[in-house]
Amino acid sequence: KDDDLAFRLGAETSAHSAALSLAGATLFDPSGKKRPFKDWVAVPVDHEDQWLRLADIAFDALFTTRGPN
């Protein structure tokens, strides 16, 4: 969706679950072909007050976990 911001939070993490519980949040599907990225959550602009917190979590995860190869 045009006004969503996507965050790579890691599937099955508490941050991922919390982000998906926000109204309107979905797994990020950039192609729109029902093949979402399982580690990513698209959070609608209605929750922009959460974006900085989620960005901080996603940024920190870059240095504490190793992404898929």
Side-chain angles (χ1 to χ4, degrees):
K1 298 172 207 160
D2 293 333
D3 293 332
D4 291 358
L5 187 59
F7 302 92
R8 185 178 184 187
L9 300 170
E12 300 182 25
T13 64
S14 59
H16 187 273
S17 297
L20 276 177
S21 74
L22 297 170
T26 60
L27 290 176
F28 180 52
D29 182 9
S31 70
K33 296 180 180 179
K34 299 186 187 209
R35 293 181 291 155
F37 293 0
K38 66 179 180 177
D39 290 325
W40 292 71
V41 179
V43 178
V45 70
D46 293 344
H47 302 289
E48 67 182 316
D49 60 323
Q50 300 293 313
W51 287 358
L52 182 57
R53 181 182 65 80
L54 293 169
D56 285 341
I57 292 168
F59 183 78
D60 289 345
L62 291 173
F63 300 101
T64 58
T65 61
R66 188 165 184 224
N69 292 333

